[in-house]
Amino acid sequence: MSKPEPSTTTNFIRQIIDQDLRSGKHGGRVHTRFPPEPNGYLHIGHAKSIVLNFGIARDYQGLCNLRFDDTNPHKENIEFVDSIQADVRWLGYDWDDRLFYASDYFQQLYDFAVELIQAGKAFVCDLDSEQMRTYRGTLTEPGRESPYRTRSVEENLDLFARMKAGEFADGERVLRAKIDMASPNMNMRDPTLYRIRHGVIHHQTGEAWCIYPMYDYTHPVSDALEGITHSLCTLEFEDHRPLYDWVLDNISIPSHPQQIEFSRLNLEYTVLSKRMLTQLVEEGFVEGWDDPRMPTIAGMRRRGYSAASIREFCQRIGITKSDGLVEMGMLENCIREDLDAHAPRRMAVLHPLKVVIENYPDEKSETLTTSNHPKDETMGVREIEFCREVYIDRADFREQANKKYKRLVTGGEVRLRNAYVIKCEEVVKNNQGEIIELRCSYDPETLGKNPEGRKVRGVVHWVSARHGIKGEVRLYDRLFGKADAGRVDEGGRFTDNLNPDSLRTLTDCCFEPALGSAIAGEQYQFEREGYFMLDSREAAREEPVFNRIITLRDSWAKIDKPGG
Ligand code: ATP
Ligand code: MG
């Protein structure tokens, strides 16, 4: 597995860390964390955060923890816990023995909440959620204090203990911080710290707890308990930072990590909201979380993207505070550059048309040797079989065409790549007038050299009809047809933006024999067609199934630009 490379570019977060190291803040240490909620699979947006957090730890000789933010048990499960670990590892990162769960801290979180109550900084509130909303006020009007805010410490301690003991129903009571109902920051208007959730079995703690701490309370405490120095999160948490700091300033914990926000990744032609991705899976718009069209790490891995190219993309987009939509072309360029350099070349015919070479002896066949990569000799050579019957692609033949058509025409000549020049002598059709076969001749003097005194139109790829392997190809394209895929028109759904042609399946393809030993994880360029990889989920099938990773060139560049 490829190892992450050191980052060569700086960003505003690294500059803050440099400054902190100079001033000795946080004891000269760097310790970050990646804190996913196990309520879905990781996507390319998470990759940005992973590369940032683990990359900083590595470049500063620090540490990065993996921590599951698992305080919302009804949406979380163990499948997500497992897939997240597999995906972070596959991306090339390791948390050693520092795998944590926020639920590891449920007892400590409870004890700190008791401290807050004892200090008169938290109270049990009986308002229901509707009343809470009206009491909270608006951005322009201050909120009103809950009538329960003046409960005595003793009463609060008693009620909180009974909440934990399961005496109250869901929603009947919550624990709230006592901060400031007039604060211009809504997050500081006595935010909820704990809520009651009966009847869910938590994937880590089972039925031990029926009260669960809120994210805004759990996160700072977990960070501090783990000795995190820099807690990096996305911009929507900027307004939550005063609460993050308030929590740490009001409990007896010496460490105080620094929260720093950066902009989240938004990518054209896809969605990176877990709610939407969950919907695509649950409503069957895709095959699953690892559908090769999904922007998930699992989907990209199955599609054939390498971990190195995903990391490279995350480096190129950089870390800033300004939100925007990153061009899909950026990601695709990283994928293509990586594949162009590393993928061995092979030949595969996706829409086969039989060619019979009439002057080639029926019983003969030849083993030809050809290079695996035109620019990289170290990738070696392979053998291909040539005989009287080969397939070419239907798109590489026309009965008539002008000079611009660089492929085979009736009476014209083309080179079969890595082999001989052939000439089309006759077109065979069925009763419906469809072309079913070409009768050709070959020039035995053209192996590895050009014919004398005449020009051939071009070069086409081919596979021996007798030696080739039959199989399936899945042509994947962008999942959404609209750049701003999450934007919904009045009365519409985001799924209206799906690209109806994001998957086309070809079942009658023919692959050169060397592809018989292909395994999932090895990417190939099918010459003139694109980059492909064996589908890991179909490995048990007798006939191979290849996924198209990406086309050779960007065919979308001129089509659907944002606003165009
Ligand atoms: P949710 O809506 O479920 O909270 P989330 O996208 O915040 O979804 P988390 O599992 O909480 O998902 O995210 C884990 C970490 O990854 C967080 O630190 C979050 O900021 C970061 N992250 C999530 N999405 C992106 C994104 N699109 N770009 C950059 N970082 C992201
Ligand atoms: Mg989140």
Side-chain angles (χ1 to χ4, degrees):
M1 185 158 301
S2 61
K3 274 267 159 266
E5 36 300 292
S7 173
T8 48
T9 48
T10 186
N11 57 50
F12 80 95
I13 295 178
R14 284 172 184 258
Q15 283 159 8
I16 293 172
I17 293 173
D18 291 336
Q19 176 61 38
D20 290 347
L21 288 175
R22 277 194 295 274
S23 71
K25 193 172 166 185
H26 308 296
R29 293 183 307 118
V30 175
H31 199 151
T32 57
R33 86 286 170 264
F34 173 64
E37 182 178 354
N39 61 351
Y41 277 59
L42 296 182
H43 54 60
I44 183 84
H46 294 111
K48 174 177 177 174
S49 176
I50 292 167
V51 170
L52 175 70
N53 279 293
F54 282 94
I56 281 179
R58 182 208 44 220
D59 293 347
Y60 287 92
Q61 281 86 51
L63 298 170
C64 180
N65 298 356
L66 175 63
R67 183 201 312 140
F68 287 103
D69 163 28
D70 57 347
T71 56
N72 222 347
H74 66 291
K75 284 191 182 166
E76 299 163 2
N77 69 51
I78 204 75
E79 176 193 350
F80 298 140
V81 168
D82 293 341
S83 73
I84 288 170
Q85 294 182 58
D87 290 348
V88 175
R89 278 217 182 85
W90 179 78
L91 276 173
Y93 299 101
D94 192 3
W95 51 89
D96 302 314
D97 57 351
R98 296 178 315 284
L99 171 63
F100 301 111
Y101 295 83
S103 56
D104 295 342
Y105 313 128
F106 279 174
Q107 185 60 47
Q108 281 146 299
L109 285 156
Y110 181 83
D111 295 340
F112 286 127
V114 168
E115 263 185 32
L116 287 173
I117 294 172
Q118 281 166 337
K121 291 172 180 167
F123 67 102
V124 174
C125 184
D126 302 1
L127 294 179
D128 63 30
S129 56
E130 190 48 46
Q131 292 168 318
M132 286 253 270
R133 233 191 315 279
T134 49
Y135 272 79
R136 192 178 294 126
T138 65
L139 282 174
T140 49
E141 276 170 59
R144 280 178 296 141
E145 292 185 350
S146 160
Y148 303 99
R149 201 178 199 263
T150 50
R151 273 182 168 147
S152 69
V153 167
E154 288 66 37
E155 190 183 1
N156 281 319
L157 286 174
D158 174 60
L159 286 172
F160 189 48
R162 287 164 58 195
M163 277 171 65
K164 176 175 185 276
E167 282 188 33
F168 310 117
D170 286 15
E172 204 176 326
R173 294 196 156 91
V174 295
L175 183 74
R176 296 174 70 179
K178 204 185 279 187
I179 310 180
D180 178 8
M181 288 307 290
S183 171
N185 183 339
M186 303 286 279
N187 297 308
M188 301 298 272
R189 294 186 186 172
D190 294 3
T192 299
L193 303 180
Y194 267 92
R195 64 211 186 304
I196 301 170
R197 282 270 183 283
H198 285 288
V200 278
I201 298 173
H202 188 287
H203 49 95
Q204 301 301 318
T205 58
E207 293 177 286
W209 294 84
C210 65
I211 55 171
Y212 288 94
M214 302 297 287
Y215 174 87
D216 278 339
Y217 172 63
T218 310
H219 207 75
V221 175
S222 308
D223 281 346
L225 288 171
E226 291 175 16
I228 300 303
T229 56
H230 300 84
S231 177
L232 315 179
C233 62
T234 41
L235 277 183
E236 65 273 22
F237 290 101
E238 197 161 20
D239 287 348
H240 298 239
R241 189 178 349 126
L243 179 52
Y244 183 102
D245 290 331
W246 182 92
V247 169
L248 294 180
D249 288 341
N250 287 285
I251 59 175
S252 61
I253 201 163
S255 139
H256 194 133
Q258 179 177 359
Q259 176 179 310
I260 307 171
E261 310 84 19
F262 63 96
S263 66
R264 63 194 299 126
L265 171 66
N266 300 302
L267 187 61
E268 283 182 357
Y269 298 101
T270 194
V271 293
L272 297 181
S273 137
K274 269 196 266 183
R275 181 181 57 76
M276 289 179 181
L277 293 174
T278 303
Q279 214 175 319
L280 292 177
V281 172
E282 287 181 353
E283 295 178 20
F285 288 101
V286 293
E287 210 186 288
W289 285 98
D290 70 345
D291 186 298
R293 293 164 293 181
M294 288 282 272
T296 52
I297 305 303
M300 293 180 168
R301 174 170 61 231
R302 185 173 157 201
R303 174 92 169 248
Y305 293 10
S306 71
S309 57
I310 296 174
R311 293 195 301 264
E312 173 63 19
F313 169 72
C314 293
Q315 300 285 358
R316 284 192 200 174
I317 55 177
I319 299 293
T320 68
K321 270 190 175 290
S322 53
D323 268 319
L325 197 56
V326 172
E327 283 185 29
M328 188 54 137
M330 278 267 283
L331 174 62
E332 291 176 344
N333 279 340
C334 294
I335 307 303
R336 275 196 195 93
E337 283 173 30
D338 176 61
L339 290 169
D340 181 40
H342 299 117
R345 277 37 173 179
R346 293 288 183 267
M347 292 198 287
V349 176
L350 305 194
H351 310 90
L353 172 61
K354 169 96 59 89
V355 168
V356 178
I357 302 163
E358 291 178 307
N359 61 338
Y360 195 92
D362 192 31
E363 63 294 344
K364 184 177 170 184
S365 74
E366 277 174 86
T367 303
L368 308 174
T369 301
T370 186
S371 70
N372 282 326
H373 197 289
K375 290 173 271 185
D376 186 351
E377 267 181 33
T378 65
M379 291 178 72
V381 295
R382 70 187 192 279
E383 293 182 338
I384 51 175
E385 300 296 329
F386 187 78
C387 69
R388 181 180 159 91
E389 294 184 359
V390 302
Y391 291 118
I392 65 167
D393 199 282
R394 287 189 168 272
D396 287 334
F397 175 75
R398 281 191 206 160
E399 288 186 79
Q400 288 172 346
N402 65 22
K403 284 266 183 305
K404 276 198 238 145
Y405 186 73
K406 298 291 181 206
R407 312 174 196 183
L408 191 60
V409 296
T410 317
E413 281 186 304
V414 287
R415 174 173 295 282
L416 295 178
R417 182 146 178 80
N418 306 313
Y420 297 96
V421 170
I422 59 166
K423 178 178 181 187
C424 177
E425 307 286 357
E426 188 194 339
V427 180
V428 182
K429 296 182 182 175
N430 64 12
N431 292 339
Q432 280 83 54
E434 295 159 344
I435 301 172
I436 52 167
E437 192 176 291
L438 302 179
R439 294 266 154 180
C440 295
S441 60
Y442 88 115
D443 179 346
E445 301 305 315
T446 54
L447 188 62
K449 55 179 191 280
N450 285 324
E452 292 193 4
R454 50 193 220 278
K455 259 188 81 137
V456 299
R457 279 191 177 237
V459 183
V460 302
H461 61 281
W462 58 278
V463 171
S464 160
R466 291 182 192 162
H467 304 88
I469 302 162
K470 291 272 156 110
E472 184 173 313
V473 153
R474 297 180 184 163
L475 298 176
Y476 290 106
D477 205 339
R478 295 176 180 178
L479 183 53
F480 287 85
K482 216 167 137 182
D484 197 353
R487 210 184 63 203
V488 185
D489 298 327
E490 244 338 268
R493 285 158 49 92
F494 80 98
T495 51
D496 299 340
N497 298 338
L498 283 164
N499 171 13
D501 298 319
S502 61
L503 168 59
R504 277 190 301 139
T505 302
L506 308 176
T507 52
D508 189 29
C509 308
C510 194
F511 309 108
E512 68 164 84
L515 285 167
S517 60
I519 55 169
E522 290 173 358
Q523 298 102 332
Y524 293 97
Q525 184 191 98
F526 290 178
E527 295 196 68
R528 302 180 62 237
E529 292 290 358
Y531 295 96
F532 292 80
M533 188 175 88
L534 202 71
D535 191 296
S536 52
R537 276 201 184 268
E538 304 288 359
R541 286 236 309 236
E542 181 111 16
E543 297 200 330
V545 177
F546 282 93
N547 292 330
R548 182 169 70 194
I549 308 167
I550 197 161
T551 52
L552 291 175
R553 273 169 292 278
D554 184 1
S555 54
W556 285 73
K558 286 180 233 57
I559 310 172
D560 179 41
K561 277 277 135 198

